[in-house]
């Protein structure tokens, strides 16, 4: 007997299976991080490695189809598919493709949906129908040019913006890294090809946790960009659709990069994207420079971990593990998205920061108003950005119009609550603009009240009022009259069957059968004896049946209802058209309410901390001061059972600008320097800070590099990664930056590590002169303070006993006692003769090592300073080389040397000065 090889669930016989296997094996190859799903109406299937991946996620078992070599498959239902796709796109950062069978041809499948972490538009319904969008999605396009020029575009599909810029970067791509941190794209496209420049670019993107996709070089061609922009950009009603009026279109390479992303996202493929996007230039200079290395080093954002292929994975981390979690008391998704944006874009503008601080202050003082806003008013506001998007994308329903009506209706109450704060900033930032926008929306509110039947809304029915139109009114009356007749029939059926009307026998309606009666299976017997009743079917919920009369009434009802719905639809379309005209105003209201949510969230965070935060006093950038009293780490101090020991920080351009922090392991060095970095960042986003008192001048950058094992991405060696990060700091730090360095040089031998750390510390302390914190285990570096007046030594204190080191977490002046190493060895029960030998020889060894160290590193350090330290020196050497290349006689050479000597005298480099003089 032949075995039945039909797959019942999929209704596939062996021939159909073979056909599919052939089709599947003919599909173009894909990356392992792309998952293909095949939509088979009731189920979805996955095959090969994708089946394995889904099997792990759903705990289902993989099966096989076709003939040898068989193809593995996993069958999942719609709910499982939704969960899996959510996991793939939002957590694992994979790409997803969904194929459907083309109608007609039995074995042809076509790609129906495509999604990637940066492009979720086609999956929005699956991903966000029942969940809010808490994080913006964007895809970046980068077109590299000659001499490190980069043209960048970014499309944010949540905020509906196109951002573009062109700039020249340095060897380390540090400008690009800062931009990646500010914008935070999930995915980036670059031209395909194999050259050094593209490979370096890919490495930079990988290091920043951005998924990279390669597209054809020709996709970066801007030939059709104006035509595409005319369709996609937002123009006011009646405004000429002419994208050339935007100055951004004069950046040809950036337009090429934009064209490539538009194509990648297939934005012109759906009308819902038309008239939606805003075009703007990226203005990176407005923000404090901070790159992803620093954001993760300071625990500002949740850190991605890596999957088996080295791709970043974003898993849920406890709220108290990062600054975003600590500050997030937002109650709206738009507030949550804005908070993340603000954290990535710390401001440099004194007035704007002070405005935010002022508003936070109002909410801190008036807790009653703050609670009213966060616990009540804002919770009534839906995601207005999404509503605006639906309205202008012609995807809205009458229900959406009603939700908007409700939200706008709440604005006057909100404004009244805000008035209680009696503050000018609150008035300018919230009350006045909200008042004006509420007035702009007045006609919309009247339209909704006039047109929608508000009495039906409680029953979740969204319909046009019948009295608006005489035809609708007539049809509505006819429908009601038929419904009454149907209810009479129900009463009769209840009598005939001796059942209770509305309880054991019910009148119900569904799209398949229209109106019918239903009884439970238990009562079926009664029905079999009454012949006038015809059973339709038996389902889990009971037995469905009707009568000839009910069938007739049903048909009559359907015909009338069809006309009624047609008329309704015509009117609904009219309303939606008018409502679409308000999309821009709704978007503006959304931005204001999101800011309100974030600022009240800052205030809630300030008062919810174990010790309340204080308002930082901002000083102009040129004053160069950083004075923090009793500074705490906002995340660490929230940990249960941890009694945080606060410390002070004093920087002043006229005294110490560079602090070296030493001390035993686990005694609080990293925590101390990170606390200072996070506090400075918090102040720049307009948040109050975890200190007793804080006074600081604004900085132009927060540059950080912390312990190697903390921030390793994409398989780079510890040493490589720290060298990349530190060279970024060296090239970008100015005297107005804050630099935080922890355990530099740990990735190489102690000897080399110490040399590198020394050279960099000296460079920062002597030439850049920025405020720096340098935590290290290399005690020799503390000697820098002997020769450098701007360098100060600090140490974290601890108490040692016979068998323990107890950290006190107090930061004190001076370097730390060096005997901790031997003490640790004692606690670790090293043999006593080894310990005795080590103690006796410690000072002698150190003396010898010092001599060797100074001898070995004197030259390299100075060489490093020449190579990296000073623009003047670099320029002079470059000029000199160029002139020599032209060929010079003896006199010209001497003249050139004198010129160079004079130029070099302007240098602040002590070594060079010494050599010349
Ligand atoms: N100021 C503090 N108050 C209370 N506990 C602290 C403080 N600072 C640090 N700790 C605790 O000590 C732990 C270790 O701190 P940290 O990582 O800053 O030490 P470290 O000196 O940098 O260590 P290592 O030299 O090994 O890198 C923290 O996780 C925290 O639990």
């Amino acid at each position: 007997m032949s075995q039945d090889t039909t797959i019942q669930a999929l209704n596939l016989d062996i021939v159909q299976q073979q056909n599919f296997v052939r089709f599947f094996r003919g599909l173009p190859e894909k990356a392992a991080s792309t998952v293909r799903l095949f939509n088979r109406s009731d189920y979805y299937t996955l095959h090969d490695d994708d089946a394995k991946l889904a099997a792990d996620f759903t705990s289902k078992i993989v099966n096989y189809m076709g003939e040898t070599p068989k193809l593995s498959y996993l069958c999942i239902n719609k709910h499982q598919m939704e969960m899996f796709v959510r996991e793939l796109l939002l957590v694992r950062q994979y790409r997803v493709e969904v194929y459907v069978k083309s109608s007609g041809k039995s074995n042809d499948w076509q790609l129906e949906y495509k999604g990637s972490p940066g492009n979720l538009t086609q999956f929005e319904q699956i991903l966000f129908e029942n969940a809010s969008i808490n994080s913006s999605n964007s895809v970046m396009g980068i077109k590299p040019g000659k001499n490190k020029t980069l043209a960048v575009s970014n499309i944010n599909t949540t905020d509906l913006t196109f951002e573009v810029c062109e700039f020249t970067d340095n060897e380390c791509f540090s400008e690009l890294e800062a931009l990646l941190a500010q914008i935070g794209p999930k995915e980036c496209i670059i031209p395909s090809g194999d050259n050094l420049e593209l490979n370096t670019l890919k490495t930079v993107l990988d290091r920043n946790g951005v998924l990279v996709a390669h597209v054809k070089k020709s996709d970066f061609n801007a030939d059709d960009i104006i035509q595409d922009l005319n369709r996609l950009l937002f123009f006011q009603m009646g405004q000429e659709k002419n994208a050339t009026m935007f100055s951004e279109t004069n950046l040809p390479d950036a337009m090429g990069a934009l064209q490539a992303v538009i194509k990648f996202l297939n934005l012109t493929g759906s009308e819902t994207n038309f008239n939606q996007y805003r075009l703007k230039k990226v203005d990176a200079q407005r923000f404090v420079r901070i790159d992803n290395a620093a954001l993760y080093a300071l625990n500002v954002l949740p850190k991605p971990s890596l999957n088996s292929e080295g791709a970043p994975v974003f898993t849920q981390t406890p709220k108290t593990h990062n600054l975003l979690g600590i500050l997030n008391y937002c109650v709206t998704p738009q507030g949550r998205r804005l908070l993340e944006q603000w954290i990535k874009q710390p401001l440099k503008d004194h007035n704007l920061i002070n405005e935010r601080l002022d508003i936070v202050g109002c909410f801190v003082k008036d807790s009653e108003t703050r609670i009213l806003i966060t616990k009540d008013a804002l919770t009534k506001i839906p995601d207005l950005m999404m509503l605006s998007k639906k309205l202008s994308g012609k995807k809205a329903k009458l229900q959406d119009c009603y939700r908007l009506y409700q939200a706008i209706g709440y604005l006057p109450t909100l404004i009244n609550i805000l008035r209680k704060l009696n503050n000018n900033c609150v008035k300018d930032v919230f009350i006045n603009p909200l008042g004006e926008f509420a007035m702009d929306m007045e006609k919309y509110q009247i339209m909704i009240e006039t047109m929608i039947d508000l009495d039906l809304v409680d029953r979740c029915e969204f319909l046009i009022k019948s009295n608006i139109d005489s035809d609708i009114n007539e049809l509505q009356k006819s429908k009601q009259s038929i419904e009454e007749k149907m209810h009479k029939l129900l009463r009769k059926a209840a009598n005939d069957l001796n059942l209770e009307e509305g309880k054991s026998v019910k009148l119900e309606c569904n799209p398949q059968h229209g109106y019918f009666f239903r009884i439970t299976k238990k009562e079926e017997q009664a029905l079999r004896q009454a012949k006038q009743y015809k059973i339709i079917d038996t389902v889990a919920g009971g037995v469905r049946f009707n009568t000839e009369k009910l069938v007739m009434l049903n048909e009559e009802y359907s015909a009338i209802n069809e006309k009624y719905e047609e008329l309704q639809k015509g009117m609904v379309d009219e309303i939606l058209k008018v409502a679409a005209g308000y999309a821009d105003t709704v978007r503006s209201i959304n931005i204001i309410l999101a800011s309100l949510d974030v600022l009240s969230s800052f205030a809630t965070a300030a008062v919810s901390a174990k010790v309340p935060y204080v308002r930082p006093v901002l000083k102009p950038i040129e004053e160069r001061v950083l004075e923090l009293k009793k500074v705490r780490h906002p995340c660490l101090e929230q940990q249960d059972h941890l009694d945080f020991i606060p410390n002070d920080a004093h920087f002043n351009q006229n005294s110490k600008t560079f602090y070296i922090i030493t001390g035993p392991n686990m005694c609080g060095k990293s925590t101390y320097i990170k606390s200072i970095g996070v506090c400075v960042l918090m102040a720049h986003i307009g948040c109050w800070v975890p200190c007793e008192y804080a006074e600081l001048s604004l900085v132009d950058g927060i540059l950080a590099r912390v312990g190697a094992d903390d921030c390793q991405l994409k398989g780079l060696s510890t040493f490589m990664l720290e060298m990349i990060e530190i060279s970024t700091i060296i090239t970008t730090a100015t005297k107005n930056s804050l630099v935080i360095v922890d355990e530099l040089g740990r990735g190489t031998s102690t000897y080399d590590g110490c040399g590198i750390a020394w050279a960099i510390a000296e460079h920062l302390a002597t030439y850049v002169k920025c405020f720096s914190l340098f935590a290290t285990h290399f005690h020799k570096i503390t000697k820098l303070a002997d020769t450098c007046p701007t360098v100060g030594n600090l140490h974290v204190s601890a108490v040692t006993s016979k068998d323990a080191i107890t950290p006190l977490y107090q930061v004190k002046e001076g370097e730390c006692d060096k005997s901790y190493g031997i003490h640790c060895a004692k606690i670790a029960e090293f043999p006593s003769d080894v310990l005795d030998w080590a103690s006796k020889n410690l000072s002698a060894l150190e003396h010898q090592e010092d001599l060797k160290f100074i001898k070995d590193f004197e030259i390299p350090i100075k060489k490093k300073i020449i190579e990296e330290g000073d623009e003047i020196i670099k320029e002079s050497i470059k000029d000199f080389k160029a002139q020599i290349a032209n060929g010079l006689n003896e006199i010209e050479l001497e003249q050139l040397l004198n010129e160079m000597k004079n130029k070099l005298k302007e240098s602040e480099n002590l070594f060079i000065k010494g050599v010349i003089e």
Side-chain angles (χ1 to χ4, degrees):
M1 208 173 72
S2 77
Q3 208 187 335
D4 182 13
T5 45
T6 303
I7 302 172
Q8 299 297 348
L10 303 177
N11 199 14
L12 283 184
D13 63 26
I14 188 71
V15 178
Q16 289 166 320
Q17 291 170 42
Q18 263 315 102
N19 283 341
F20 178 77
V21 174
R22 215 168 301 125
F23 163 79
F24 182 83
R25 297 212 163 116
L27 277 171
E29 269 193 42
K30 65 170 185 71
S33 52
T34 300
V35 172
R36 285 178 176 153
L37 290 122
F38 294 84
N39 181 351
R40 300 174 188 269
S41 304
D42 293 338
Y43 295 99
Y44 289 78
T45 59
L46 298 106
H47 305 270
D48 265 356
D49 289 345
D50 297 344
K52 263 191 246 154
L53 199 70
D56 285 347
F57 180 74
T58 54
S59 305
K60 293 188 79 176
I61 294 168
V62 173
N63 285 308
Y64 294 87
M65 62 161 64
E67 290 164 353
T68 318
K70 291 176 180 241
L71 174 68
S72 61
Y73 77 91
L74 188 88
C75 206
I76 55 175
N77 63 27
K78 192 162 179 280
H79 175 67
Q80 289 162 334
M81 181 280 280
E82 289 180 2
M83 304 278 286
F84 187 46
V85 166
R86 200 170 288 157
E87 164 82 11
L88 291 175
L89 291 173
L90 301 183
V91 180
R92 299 196 196 185
Q93 310 283 294
Y94 275 39
R95 299 185 186 89
V96 175
E97 292 177 359
V98 179
Y99 287 79
V100 282
K101 224 170 187 177
S102 343
S103 52
K105 295 188 195 162
S106 63
N107 195 36
D108 247 11
W109 292 76
Q110 63 190 35
L111 188 59
E112 189 187 20
Y113 301 124
K114 212 164 101 171
S116 57
N119 179 20
L120 305 174
T121 38
Q122 295 185 327
F123 288 89
E124 261 173 16
Q125 213 171 349
I126 292 180
L127 300 173
F128 305 118
E129 197 159 67
N130 299 314
S132 42
I133 307 183
N134 283 331
S135 187
S136 284
N137 271 299
S138 67
V139 179
M140 190 178 264
I142 304 178
K143 184 178 178 182
K146 282 192 188 127
N147 302 326
K148 298 269 177 303
T149 54
L150 294 177
V152 177
S153 72
N154 184 66
I155 297 189
N156 186 321
T157 50
T158 314
D159 292 341
L160 304 174
T161 48
F162 294 157
E163 289 170 294
V164 288
C165 61
E166 290 178 1
F167 57 92
T168 304
D169 216 331
N170 51 30
E171 295 291 326
C172 324
F173 283 112
S174 41
E175 294 291 328
L176 176 65
E177 288 212 59
L179 198 63
L180 289 171
Q182 260 173 30
I183 292 179
K186 296 266 166 61
E187 199 168 1
C188 182
I189 56 168
I190 57 175
S192 46
D194 191 13
N195 58 44
L196 185 67
E197 193 125 52
L198 283 172
N199 293 344
T200 320
L201 192 57
K202 181 163 183 326
T203 314
V204 173
L205 293 165
D206 283 345
R207 201 166 62 229
N208 281 276
V210 183
L211 200 67
V212 180
H214 295 271
V215 300
K216 283 190 286 179
K217 227 174 167 181
S218 57
D219 284 358
F220 282 81
N221 221 325
D223 290 350
D224 299 328
I225 190 70
I226 297 299
Q227 191 185 331
D228 284 357
L229 290 181
N230 284 344
R231 284 196 274 175
L232 298 167
L233 288 185
F234 171 81
F235 293 95
Q236 296 284 0
M237 241 184 242
Q239 191 184 358
E240 190 196 355
K241 286 183 185 289
N242 179 8
T244 53
M245 68 182 178
F246 297 107
S247 62
E248 289 80 0
T249 55
N250 297 327
L251 299 171
D253 288 329
M255 285 299 112
L258 184 60
Q259 179 80 77
V261 189
I262 289 176
K263 209 163 185 176
F264 180 74
L265 297 174
N266 190 21
L267 287 189
T268 49
S270 165
E271 271 199 34
T272 55
N273 295 320
F274 292 1
N275 207 39
Q276 293 270 28
Y277 285 85
R278 281 18 176 214
L279 177 62
K280 56 181 182 180
K281 231 179 249 161
V282 177
D283 188 4
Q285 294 312 314
R286 278 183 57 214
F287 308 117
V288 173
R289 172 192 284 276
I290 180 161
D291 58 15
N292 276 322
L295 287 179
Y296 297 133
L298 297 177
N299 306 98
V300 172
L301 297 177
K303 210 179 296 173
S305 44
L306 299 181
N307 67 15
S308 54
E309 286 173 20
V313 177
F314 292 86
T315 39
Q316 285 281 331
T317 44
K319 182 178 156 66
T320 51
H321 282 201
N322 54 70
L323 184 67
L324 176 65
I326 292 285
L327 297 182
N328 183 20
Y329 285 89
C330 293
V331 291
T332 65
Q334 57 269 45
R336 166 67 180 67
R337 295 195 297 267
L338 189 68
L339 170 64
E340 194 171 332
Q341 185 188 328
W342 280 11
I343 286 184
K344 289 180 195 162
Q345 300 178 345
L347 295 172
K348 284 206 286 203
D349 186 309
H350 217 268
N351 296 333
L352 291 181
I353 303 175
N354 265 325
E355 191 172 82
R356 287 185 190 174
L357 291 171
D358 255 8
I359 297 172
V360 174
C362 290
F363 289 131
V364 167
K365 273 192 221 119
D366 189 339
S367 53
E368 199 184 316
T369 305
R370 188 188 70 245
I371 290 168
L372 260 181
I373 286 176
T374 51
K375 296 252 159 46
D376 187 36
L378 283 176
T379 57
K380 298 196 166 68
I381 307 291
D383 192 336
L384 292 180
M385 184 66 211
M386 291 305 116
L387 275 184
S388 160
K389 194 170 163 181
K390 276 185 170 180
L391 287 176
S392 52
K394 302 194 177 70
K395 267 190 187 167
K397 296 190 184 117
L398 213 48
Q399 185 173 357
D400 298 312
C401 294
Y402 177 72
R403 287 177 73 202
L404 176 60
Y405 163 81
Q406 267 189 316
I408 301 297
Y410 204 72
L411 290 185
T413 318
L414 184 61
I415 291 172
N416 278 336
I417 299 174
L418 288 168
R419 278 211 178 97
K420 287 194 207 131
L421 293 170
N422 195 18
N423 175 279
N424 284 340
C425 288
V426 173
K427 208 155 107 194
D428 290 351
V429 177
F430 301 120
I431 298 176
N432 291 346
L434 280 179
E436 282 163 27
F437 287 128
M439 262 158 66
D440 291 348
M441 295 296 292
E442 254 171 22
K443 284 197 179 132
Y444 173 86
Q445 297 295 89
I446 294 171
M447 172 178 81
I448 298 298
E449 278 162 16
T450 327
M451 304 294 284
I452 296 187
D453 194 336
L454 298 177
D455 294 338
L456 298 179
V457 167
D458 282 348
R459 283 162 36 192
C460 285
E461 286 185 46
F462 297 90
L463 293 168
I464 301 290
K465 272 186 191 160
S466 359
N467 60 9
I468 287 290
D469 180 279
S470 56
D471 289 345
I472 292 192
N473 205 8
E474 278 309 306
L475 291 169
Q476 170 72 4
K477 278 186 190 153
S478 312
K479 277 174 61 178
Q480 272 167 0
S481 135
I482 298 172
E483 275 168 351
E484 276 163 24
K485 287 179 191 162
M486 288 178 180
H487 275 102
K488 267 191 200 154
L489 288 184
L490 173 69
R491 221 161 296 139
K492 183 168 181 310
N495 258 338
D496 291 349
L497 303 171
N498 204 16
L499 296 170
E500 200 178 340
E501 178 194 341
K503 288 212 168 135
S504 46
V505 56
K506 289 181 179 171
L507 176 69
E508 288 178 353
C509 177
N510 73 12
Q512 191 190 358
H513 302 298
Y515 280 93
F516 56 84
F517 300 129
R518 182 174 64 83
I519 53 170
T520 59
K521 283 186 193 165
K522 218 171 61 195
E523 318 288 355
E524 190 176 353
Q525 201 50 35
L527 197 59
R528 299 219 177 265
Q529 279 146 25
K531 293 292 171 216
Q532 68 274 38
Y533 296 107
K534 217 174 107 221
I535 294 179
I536 305 170
D537 55 13
T538 305
V539 288
V543 182
R544 302 195 281 203
F545 64 100
N546 56 21
T547 65
E548 266 178 35
K549 193 87 199 274
L550 183 61
V551 172
M552 268 168 55
L553 286 175
N554 199 14
E555 279 167 10
E556 209 182 318
Y557 185 90
S558 304
I560 292 171
N561 196 40
E562 205 174 305
K563 272 193 213 150
Y564 173 82
E565 280 184 352
E566 204 177 298
L567 282 181
Q568 278 268 348
K569 187 174 176 308
M571 305 213 69
V572 170
D573 286 348
E574 278 307 308
I575 294 179
L576 294 179
K577 217 182 207 171
V578 178
Y582 288 91
D584 200 35
T585 313
V586 176
R587 208 168 148 147
S588 307
I589 296 173
N590 181 62
I591 295 170
I592 299 173
L593 295 181
S595 319
L596 176 62
D597 196 8
V598 178
L599 292 171
S600 46
S601 179
F602 282 174
T604 311
V607 297
S608 309
K610 279 188 182 166
V611 182
Y613 297 170
V614 296
R615 179 186 173 139
V617 179
L618 296 186
K619 296 280 174 184
I621 203 158
E622 55 288 352
E623 272 192 34
R624 299 198 59 224
V625 55
L626 174 57
E627 184 82 28
L628 304 178
K629 292 220 172 91
K630 297 206 170 167
V631 55
R632 301 161 341 248
H633 194 291
C635 303
L636 210 62
E637 72 162 346
Q638 293 287 21
Q639 282 182 13
D640 292 337
H641 320 297
L642 191 135
D643 207 358
F644 195 92
I645 311 294
N647 284 293
D648 295 348
H650 314 277
F651 286 87
N652 194 306
Q653 60 178 338
N654 302 321
S655 55
K656 304 287 181 218
T657 58
F658 192 100
Y659 283 108
I660 298 164
I661 300 105
T662 46
N665 291 88
M666 296 300 285
C667 284
K669 295 185 295 299
S670 311
T671 307
Y672 172 65
I673 61 175
K674 283 183 188 179
S675 313
I676 297 167
V678 178
C679 261
V680 171
L681 174 80
M682 287 169 84
H684 283 77
I685 60 173
C687 182
W688 285 26
V689 292
C691 295
E692 194 181 85
Y693 174 78
E695 183 181 295
L696 64 148
S697 9
L698 298 179
V699 296
D700 61 4
I702 301 173
L703 308 163
R705 121 122 290 269
V706 299
D709 46 357
D710 286 53
C711 67
Q712 229 175 321
L713 276 175
K714 279 265 170 178
L716 282 171
S717 80
T718 305
F719 181 64
M720 265 309 283
L721 192 70
E722 66 175 6
M723 284 305 107
I724 290 170
E725 288 177 0
I726 206 71
S727 55
T728 305
I729 292 179
I730 297 271
T731 35
T732 49
T734 74
K735 69 176 194 311
N736 296 320
S737 312
L738 173 68
V739 171
I740 289 171
V741 179
D742 191 8
E743 305 220 12
L744 181 71
R746 212 167 58 161
T748 182
S749 73
T750 315
Y751 196 67
D752 287 350
C754 185
I756 290 165
W758 178 291
I760 285 155
E762 190 179 18
H763 174 75
L764 289 172
T766 324
Y767 296 98
V768 185
K769 293 181 178 154
C770 52
F771 288 172
S772 309
L773 288 147
F774 208 87
T776 184
H777 284 290
F778 299 126
H779 287 269
K780 282 185 187 64
I781 294 178
T782 55
K783 294 271 173 287
L784 205 55
D786 299 345
T787 51
C788 225
T790 50
V791 175
N793 278 317
L794 298 174
H795 70 278
V796 282
S797 56
V799 179
T800 51
S801 65
K802 203 165 118 277
D803 46 16
I805 296 180
T806 311
L808 297 177
Y809 306 118
Q810 280 163 355
V811 176
K812 295 191 170 162
E813 283 194 9
E815 61 196 272
C816 92
D817 178 353
K818 288 174 207 162
S819 63
Y820 284 117
I822 292 181
H823 203 91
C824 282
K826 237 182 241 170
I827 295 167
E829 294 179 355
F830 267 51
S832 59
D833 50 339
V834 176
L835 291 174
D836 287 348
W837 185 88
S839 302
K840 270 187 221 140
N841 290 293
L842 180 67
S843 53
L845 281 174
E846 279 192 338
H847 181 65
Q848 274 177 24
E849 228 188 87
D850 277 348
L851 290 177
K852 185 170 173 351
F853 177 79
I854 291 166
K855 194 163 152 283
D856 283 6
F857 279 100
E858 199 178 17
I859 303 301
I861 290 165
K862 285 174 179 168
K863 188 166 166 267
K864 203 163 184 69
I865 292 166
I866 298 168
E867 279 173 359
E868 295 180 351
D870 197 308
E871 279 312 315
I872 296 171
I873 302 169
K874 275 196 234 166
E875 281 301 321
S876 308
I877 293 172
K878 216 165 113 192
D879 275 7
F880 188 67
K881 278 187 187 163
Q883 303 258 24
I884 286 187
N886 292 337
L888 299 171
N889 61 33
E890 223 172 287
I891 303 166
E892 284 169 331
L893 186 63
E894 197 177 329
Q895 200 181 339
L896 187 63
L897 276 171
N898 280 335
E899 264 173 35
M900 184 171 162
K901 213 167 139 185
N902 287 336
K903 216 171 190 183
L904 286 175
K905 277 186 184 164
E906 291 166 28
S907 161
E908 288 177 359
N909 187 316
L910 298 175
F911 173 66
I912 292 290
K913 272 190 175 165
V915 171
I916 292 168
E917 264 132 46

